[in-house]
Amino acid sequence: MTANTMPSKHAALPKFTRRGALSLAPLLAGASSLTAFAQDASKLLTGAPADSVTRHRYKFGGADAAFTVTAGTLPMIDAKGERLAWMFYVAYTRDGAAKEARPITFAFNGGPGASSAYLHLGTMGPKVVNFGDEQQFRSPARLIDNPDSWLDLPDLVFVDPIGTSYSRTVAATEDANKRYWNVNGDVQSLAAFVDLYLARNGRQGSPKYIVGESYGGFRAAGLAHLLSAEHGIAVSGLFMVSPVIEFSLITHDPMSVLPDALLLPSYAAVALERKAPTTAAALTEVERFALGPYLSALSASPPVEADVKATYARVAGFTGLPEPLVARFGGRVPAEVFVREIRRSDQQLASYYDGTLGAPDPSPTSETSHGDPTAESLRTALGSAMADYLHGALGVRTDIPYVIQSNEVARRWDWWSGLTISGGYVGAAKQLREALAGNPALKLMVAHGMTDLVTPYLASRYLLDHLPPKVSADRVTLNLYNGGHMMYLRAASRSRLRADAAKMYPPPGK
């Protein structure tokens, strides 16, 4: 997972922050002296885990290949040369591959405050968690060989920002953490990490790709822009999994109906899937309604009573919610109400991250819910599996506790740093446009689960459809999958995700 949203002008804490974590993030150019990685700092930082290098063979189809796996850290220093922190990573590099031809991909989740475990053991790495078709997230989770690993396409570097996994500041004080727990410092540290990793491993000439989930998608837009603007590094492809790019499109605003319209088809997808697997084609009607009659009726001034009542009826029909409930919320049913009401009959609480999944409702008489027991179960199972994998298979030895998702990072995140904020919300569309415009070879692929209520797919489609045509033509793709925020937890969607990702990379062996 990975998605905690910023405070808007209407709320002290965003709904993402109250729920838990997944991924997103944007940019910046502008204060390269704020933090940087030490180019000559080979000395291990006090407390950092020692690097562990192991060798493995992984199968792809009927063949296998040898890989070197490095689980290690890169140090960070300030402008005076003082060591401030270390960033933990796991890199899979194919033995004997030509570095100038072999692509390299940097992957991270978001939150803020989430480690890369979700992408690592959920979809891209050589091992995946086996939760079965029913997706029961019980601990301990069992790892199996991943038939849909991306390792035959690029080398993979999974990166954990400061405060997640084993990445820490040396001082571990509020002031030390403050350098990195903000939009600007976060992206600058990741850009410096990429620069240093490429330099130390002789990979400057390799085709470079970025994969970010949730806030990691937001982060990826800014990272691609910053790498080009300040580090002279061109990115060949961005792959955003369940991203939020503009927070204004996913945050409930009493004065804007658009976010509710963009969420409505995801509600409908949940209702449809209770009867049969959802398809993108089955959502066409509700998408047209959401961005047409729904917006018109609820935005009209003054409202036309007949149109409003007709809208309530259609919303109830699409979502499976009682019409009086829809009317009570003026046709704009909040997600915290939907996740409770859609499963109220069996006293289950639907997950924000995949509305088709549910867990026993801890407060069945309440009208709303800000919790997500399903997400908590997944986080616990995946966190213990990742720590065991790092220790057992990759030889990591450290007394530092593994942090899959840090509530402290989410709680202390500074959203107002270093960004041009429009209308009170953080957004990365500007940086995405500039990255695409400045690099005609850059490809963008966006992946969304149809039953994700955290980052609704229609928000990304709306944004991508409004990119300048000269910037996006033939280089931007949006793909929809069965499942939610982590659609790859479904085996069929994980396989499709890998197949779609392959279209971004040169053919294996080329």
Side-chain angles (χ1 to χ4, degrees):
M1 299 184 205
T2 55
N4 302 308
T5 63
M6 65 164 286
S8 73
K9 58 184 177 182
H10 304 291
L13 284 176
K15 56 185 177 182
F16 269 57
T17 301
R18 292 195 296 262
R19 292 179 192 164
L22 297 161
S23 114
L24 307 86
L27 78 69
L28 269 208
S32 57
S33 61
L34 183 85
T35 50
F37 284 97
Q39 299 299 313
D40 59 349
S42 58
K43 182 178 179 181
L44 186 69
L45 293 179
T46 302
D51 288 2
S52 175
V53 179
T54 54
R55 288 174 172 79
H56 306 260
R57 297 193 72 87
Y58 300 122
K59 293 183 178 180
F60 309 115
D64 66 0
F67 279 79
T68 296
V69 183
T70 302
T73 61
L74 289 182
M76 300 179 119
I77 63 169
D78 62 11
K80 297 179 181 178
E82 180 183 355
R83 295 180 176 90
L84 301 178
W86 64 83
M87 191 173 289
F88 184 78
Y89 69 95
V90 178
Y92 296 84
T93 57
R94 189 165 184 168
D95 294 346
K99 291 183 177 180
E100 68 277 5
R102 176 77 170 164
I104 186 167
T105 293
F106 296 90
F108 39 75
N109 281 84
S115 78
S116 60
Y118 295 92
L119 288 173
H120 194 158
L121 294 186
T123 185
M124 297 174 68
K127 300 285 184 179
V128 289
V129 288
N130 181 23
F131 292 123
D133 293 337
E134 295 182 358
Q135 298 182 75
Q136 298 295 316
F137 306 131
R138 296 189 178 96
S139 297
R142 188 168 68 90
L143 294 180
I144 60 174
D145 291 339
N146 183 6
D148 305 303
S149 171
W150 293 24
L151 281 176
D152 62 326
L153 301 171
D155 289 340
L156 297 175
V157 183
F158 295 97
V159 188
D160 295 318
I162 302 299
T164 72
S165 179
Y166 299 128
S167 301
R168 299 289 191 275
T169 56
V170 173
T173 63
E174 182 176 349
D175 284 344
N177 293 333
K178 191 183 300 183
R179 284 180 173 267
Y180 308 102
W181 294 358
N182 63 82
V183 174
N184 191 3
D186 172 69
V187 177
Q188 287 189 355
S189 66
L190 285 167
F193 175 95
V194 171
D195 198 341
L196 179 57
Y197 182 90
L198 294 173
R200 284 194 173 182
N201 293 277
R203 300 301 297 267
Q204 294 97 329
S206 302
K208 304 160 194 72
Y209 295 79
I210 296 171
V211 177
E213 182 184 351
S214 196
Y215 183 78
F218 179 77
R219 176 183 273 150
L223 181 56
H225 177 268
L226 184 58
L227 284 172
S228 175
E230 293 202 358
H231 295 261
I233 297 172
V235 175
S236 299
L238 294 177
F239 196 101
M240 297 180 177
V241 180
S242 306
V244 56
I245 303 171
E246 286 287 323
F247 281 92
S248 63
L249 297 180
I250 67 166
T251 305
H252 180 75
D253 186 331
M255 300 307 296
S256 174
V257 181
L258 182 58
D260 300 278
L262 298 175
L263 179 58
L264 185 59
S266 297
Y267 286 171
V270 173
L272 286 171
E273 185 128 338
R274 300 199 72 190
K275 303 172 184 176
T278 310
T279 66
L283 298 174
T284 301
E285 182 182 359
V286 67
E287 291 169 1
R288 290 173 178 167
F289 167 73
L291 294 178
Y294 179 88
L295 271 180
S296 298
L298 299 188
S299 300
S301 184
V304 178
E305 184 177 358
D307 292 345
V308 170
K309 287 185 176 180
T311 297
Y312 294 165
R314 293 199 71 186
V315 169
F318 282 125
T319 63
L321 297 175
E323 189 173 339
L325 176 74
V326 174
R328 177 151 60 95
F329 287 97
R332 304 171 64 187
V333 180
E336 55 266 28
V337 174
F338 180 84
V339 296
R340 185 173 296 282
E341 294 298 331
I342 195 66
R343 300 288 297 271
R344 185 175 285 279
S345 62
D346 56 4
Q347 294 191 344
Q348 292 275 305
L349 188 64
S351 173
Y352 291 100
Y353 295 108
D354 185 346
T356 66
L357 300 178
D361 191 341
S363 304
T365 59
S366 176
E367 290 189 355
T368 63
S369 173
H370 298 292
D372 194 330
T374 301
E376 292 295 331
S377 297
L378 171 62
R379 186 158 44 243
T380 300
L382 191 58
S384 60
M386 190 74 220
D388 287 345
Y389 175 68
L390 291 171
H391 180 86
L394 303 187
V396 176
R397 301 291 182 264
T398 179
D399 292 332
I400 299 173
Y402 182 84
V403 177
I404 187 171
Q405 181 179 314
S406 171
N407 290 330
E408 183 183 8
V409 172
R411 188 169 56 250
R412 296 183 180 277
W413 194 260
D414 177 7
W415 290 98
W416 307 103
S417 62
L419 282 178
T420 301
I421 299 174
S422 175
Y425 299 100
V426 164
K430 177 178 181 290
Q431 289 71 42
L432 183 59
R433 289 194 303 269
E434 290 179 356
L436 287 166
N439 181 359
L442 176 61
K443 296 180 181 179
L444 170 63
M445 188 171 287
V446 179
H448 274 283
M450 290 178 281
T451 52
D452 177 8
L453 308 182
V454 173
T455 56
Y457 75 88
L458 196 58
S460 285
R461 179 181 291 169
Y462 180 87
L463 186 146
L464 297 177
D465 284 346
H466 288 82
L467 290 175
K470 292 289 187 181
V471 167
S472 60
D474 302 321
R475 292 194 288 149
V476 176
T477 306
L478 173 67
N479 297 313
L480 301 183
Y481 304 83
N482 290 107
H485 200 74
M486 295 143 294
M487 77 294 288
Y488 47 75
L489 296 178
R490 302 190 187 193
S493 294
R494 182 175 67 237
S495 180
R496 269 199 59 211
L497 192 71
R498 188 262 175 217
D500 289 336
K503 299 172 186 175
M504 262 203 329
Y505 293 100
K510 300 294 185 181

